[in-house]
Amino acid sequence: MMAIVAFVMGSAAAIAGWKGRTLATTKTEVAIKNKADHRKIAPLMYVFLLSGYTGGVLSLVMQGQPILESPHFVTGTIVISLLTINALLAATGFIGNKETARTVHAYVGSAALIVLVAHAAFGLKLGLSI
Ligand code: HEM
Ligand code: HEM
């Protein structure tokens, strides 16, 4: 389930965000549609990932396993931190619509998705070790 959220919603959000950014001057209509899609998908994905993060820790607690020390926990915390920066940037209207803030948002979000690839591998490893 988390892989679906991370990869299906993640790539949909990222593609829509980047299309919105790169087509803004050449294909304005398409860009507006993609930005609207991104505004719908990205916050929902963020909420699902936050729930998964909490759920992952709770699941280990219930199984009496050690918590907060696996590589999967470390990459999960990095991802949530990066996406929280992004959510805050978006919530503040990119700090008064600053171009730099939009650029930081675009790259921080993309970096989070790249970290998610390693995160998924660590998740599988963690699951198989229990
Ligand atoms: C998957 C990680 C993410 C990526 C790759 C990403 C990428 C982008 C990009 C490229 C843009 C266009 C920036 C520009 O106009 O120059 C954008 C805009 C935006 N993003 Fe994200 N983003 C991500 C996560 C998030 C999250 C977690 C939220 C909110 C919780 C969010 C909310 C927004 C909003 C509100 C906009 C402005 C849309 C508009 O101008 O209509 N994004 N994002
Ligand atoms: C992508 C595929 C993923 C897989 C295969 C996966 C797998 C797992 C497994 C097997 C556990 C141990 C809990 C249990 O056995 O029930 C776990 C825990 C956890 N997961 Fe995931 N997970 C994935 C994605 C995510 C995502 C997207 C997040 C949030 C960013 C996340 C955050 C966590 C956290 C924080 C824990 C607790 C780790 C600890 O305290 O050491 N996982 N995950």
Side-chain angles (χ1 to χ4, degrees), residues 60 65 69-73 75 116-130:
L60 287 179
Q65 295 288 330
E69 56 188 37
S70 63
H72 187 66
F73 174 76
T75 45
L116 270 172
V117 178
H119 182 70
F122 287 141
L124 274 180
K125 200 165 153 252
L126 178 62
L128 294 173
S129 73
I130 291 173

Side-chain angles (χ1 to χ4, degrees), residues 93-111:
F94 299 98
I95 321 175
N97 209 10
K98 285 207 174 63
E99 192 46 46
T100 323
R102 285 184 177 272
T103 305
V104 169
H105 178 97
Y107 286 97
V108 166
S110 307

Side-chain angles (χ1 to χ4, degrees), residues 11 13 20 22 27 46 48 53 63-64 66 83 90 93-94 96 104-105 112 114 121:
S11 18
T22 50
K27 291 184 181 164
Y46 179 60
F48 285 163
Y53 182 89
Q63 295 173 84
L83 290 180
F94 299 98
V104 169
H105 178 97
I114 293 166

Side-chain angles (χ1 to χ4, degrees), residues 3 11 29 41 44 54 62 72 75 77 84 90 96 99 111:
S11 18
E29 292 280 292
I41 306 167
L44 202 59
T54 326
M62 286 187 284
H72 187 66
T75 45
T77 305
T84 301
E99 192 46 46

Side-chain angles (χ1 to χ4, degrees), residues 34-44:
N34 276 286
K35 281 199 180 180
D37 287 347
H38 180 81
R39 290 177 92 109
K40 281 183 218 133
I41 306 167
L44 202 59

